[in-house]
């Protein structure tokens, strides 16, 4: 079976080789772990955001940036485009922010292929029937500070690899790379909701594509989190090719999948988060989904389209 860590390493090697032109910084910790700063002490770049997103997806997706991405005749933003022929593995087996990395004073949301080694969380890998056994561990961290040796050692231990074989890519939410990589979760938001909220077998999704606008960069981390989530919730468009089985209600899956089908829909994410006292667990899981969904049922040939791009809410979120 394909290894998300070995596939992602090909992109990591490009980032290390072209660090200067990507406006990123490479450093080695005393334990040999490699740190790739994509926005903490550097500016980053559009291309760095593309590559970072591809690493998040375990190297199993094509990532590009469309300039501009039209959302309506009067509103356009640069947008991230995702295409993958390994939807379950690339999005849930790698990209999903399924690892809360907490070591000492350091905390970050961890995404990327190293999750498949540490099985974070184990039930996800049981549900998609995937596990990696590579001897290198690559993790992307959404954080405002760079991790130290203690963090790299802890990740190495959980992944059962040597610390010198750990590669940690870091980008704050309030950075260009941060905005790009969160927009790049547009397909993953849909597969996540299929599995977690609708209990649909995501291994039946054979191909997927999506596009979402890149949220404007906000130096306030909480506001940046709101805007980047809204880019997908109100502006993300996704396409899923599903090999259904007799008894699957694909029409119902499509109807329930968009963000607009959630009870809490209708306000910018920052407002919803604030009302929930900044507690993710008080927010309806169904909100974390793309705005627009198209599903092609490969067994029947039928096409289902649900949801819509909400330009008004995007403008409100982005402060236009």
């Amino acid at each position: 079976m394909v290894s998300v860590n070995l596939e992602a390493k090909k992109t990591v090697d490009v980032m290390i080789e072209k660090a200067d032109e990507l406006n990123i910084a490479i450093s080695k910790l005393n334990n040999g772990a490699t740190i790739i700063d994509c926005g903490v002490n550097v500016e980053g770049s559009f291309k760095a955001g593309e590559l970072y997103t591809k690493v998040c997806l375990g190297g199993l997706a094509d990532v590009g940036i469309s300039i501009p991405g039209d959302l309506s005749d009067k509103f356009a933003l640069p947008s991230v485009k995702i295409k993958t022929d390994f939807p379950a593995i690339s999005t849930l087996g790698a990209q999903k922010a399924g690892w809360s990395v907490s070591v000492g004073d350091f905390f970050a949301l961890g995404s990327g292929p190293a999750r498949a080694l540490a099985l974070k969380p184990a039930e996800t890998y049981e549900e998609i029937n995937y596990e990696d056994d590579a001897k290198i561990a690559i993790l992307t961290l959404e954080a405002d500070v760079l991790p130290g040796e203690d963090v790299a050692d802890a990740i190495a231990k959980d992944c059962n690899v040597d610390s010198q074989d750990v590669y940690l890519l870091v980008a704050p939410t309030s950075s260009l790379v941060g905005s790009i990589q969160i927009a790049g979760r547009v397909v993953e938001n849909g597969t996540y909701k299929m599995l977690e909220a609708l209990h649909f077998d995501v291994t039946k999704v054979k191909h997927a594509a999506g596009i979402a606008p890149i949220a404007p960069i906000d130096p306030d981390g909480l506001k940046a989190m709101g805007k980047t989530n809204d880019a997908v919730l109100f502006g993300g468009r996704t396409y899923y090719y599903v090999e259904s089985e007799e008894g699957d209600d694909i029409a119902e899956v499509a109807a329930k999948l968009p963000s607009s089908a959630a009870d809490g829909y209708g306000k910018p994410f920052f407002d919803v988060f604030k009302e929930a006292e900044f507690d993710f667990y008080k927010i309806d899981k169904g909100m974390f989904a793309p705005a627009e969904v198209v599903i092609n049922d490969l067994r029947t040939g039928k096409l289902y389209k649900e949801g819509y791009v909400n330009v008004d809410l995007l403008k409100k979120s982005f402060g236009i």
Side-chain angles (χ1 to χ4, degrees):
M1 189 174 282
V2 67
S3 164
V4 287
N5 282 279
L6 294 179
E7 289 298 320
K9 180 62 162 53
K10 299 172 186 177
T11 302
V12 167
D13 288 344
V14 172
M15 295 178 79
I16 292 171
E17 180 186 349
K18 298 184 176 181
D20 288 345
E21 62 189 84
L22 294 172
N23 280 329
I24 62 177
I26 315 299
S27 59
K28 284 268 191 183
L29 299 177
N30 289 335
N31 62 3
T34 301
I35 306 297
I36 304 177
D37 180 2
C38 296
V40 177
N41 299 312
V42 295
E43 288 186 19
S45 60
F46 278 113
K47 191 64 181 179
E50 281 186 32
L51 297 174
Y52 187 106
T53 304
K54 184 163 186 170
V55 171
C56 279
L57 285 153
L60 297 177
D62 291 327
V63 181
I65 293 179
S66 170
I67 304 176
D70 291 326
L71 298 173
S72 76
D73 291 338
K74 299 178 181 179
F75 185 59
L77 288 169
S79 299
V80 180
K81 304 180 294 183
I82 306 294
K83 294 178 291 182
T84 177
D85 297 314
F86 299 87
I89 296 173
S90 64
T91 63
L92 300 178
Q95 189 181 29
K96 174 183 170 182
W99 191 346
S100 294
V101 178
S102 182
V103 181
D105 294 331
F106 182 86
F107 176 81
L109 287 175
S111 304
R115 289 182 42 245
L117 299 173
L119 300 179
K120 302 282 188 176
E123 56 267 24
T124 295
Y125 294 93
E126 291 172 7
E127 288 163 329
I128 66 172
N129 191 29
Y130 180 75
E131 191 174 335
D132 196 3
D133 61 357
K135 298 304 179 186
I136 58 170
I138 301 170
L139 197 65
T140 62
L141 300 169
E142 196 172 329
D144 298 324
V145 296
L146 298 177
E149 287 181 57
D150 54 343
V151 177
D153 285 340
I155 290 169
K157 183 177 180 181
D158 282 343
C159 293
N160 195 29
V161 301
D162 293 334
S163 295
Q164 65 184 11
D165 295 318
V166 170
Y167 297 81
L168 302 177
L169 290 72
V170 191
T173 312
S174 55
S175 67
L176 176 59
V177 171
S179 280
I180 291 169
Q181 70 94 2
I182 294 173
R185 294 175 183 273
V186 59
V187 171
E188 182 260 335
N189 272 212
T191 54
Y192 172 84
K193 186 172 179 179
M194 282 184 202
L195 182 64
E196 299 291 337
L198 306 182
H199 309 294
F200 182 74
D201 181 357
V202 291
T203 63
K204 295 176 182 178
V205 184
K206 302 304 179 183
H207 316 278
I211 184 168
I214 299 169
I217 300 162
D218 193 313
D220 183 313
L222 281 175
K223 290 180 180 178
M225 184 180 63
K227 292 176 180 179
T228 52
N229 274 282
D230 288 342
V232 174
L233 306 188
F234 304 134
R237 291 169 282 168
T238 51
Y239 309 85
Y240 301 98
Y241 298 78
V242 177
E243 189 72 69
S244 71
E245 295 178 359
E246 199 72 44
D248 287 336
D249 191 340
I250 302 302
E252 183 181 27
V253 172
K256 292 182 176 179
L257 196 52
S259 57
S260 54
D263 292 338
Y265 183 86
K267 299 178 183 178
F269 183 78
F270 179 79
D271 294 344
V272 174
F273 197 37
K274 188 175 181 180
E275 289 172 6
E277 300 174 330
F278 301 106
D279 184 348
F280 270 109
Y281 295 102
K282 293 181 180 179
I283 299 172
D284 181 2
K285 272 185 183 180
M287 278 193 64
F288 299 97
E292 187 176 289
V293 172
V294 176
I295 298 181
N296 181 185
D297 187 338
L298 299 175
R299 180 176 63 89
T300 66
K302 291 183 178 180
L303 195 68
Y304 304 88
K305 179 186 177 296
E306 298 285 353
Y308 59 97
V309 169
N310 194 326
V311 174
D312 290 338
L313 274 176
L314 272 179
K315 287 183 174 179
K316 184 176 181 180
S317 173
F318 295 169
I320 296 174

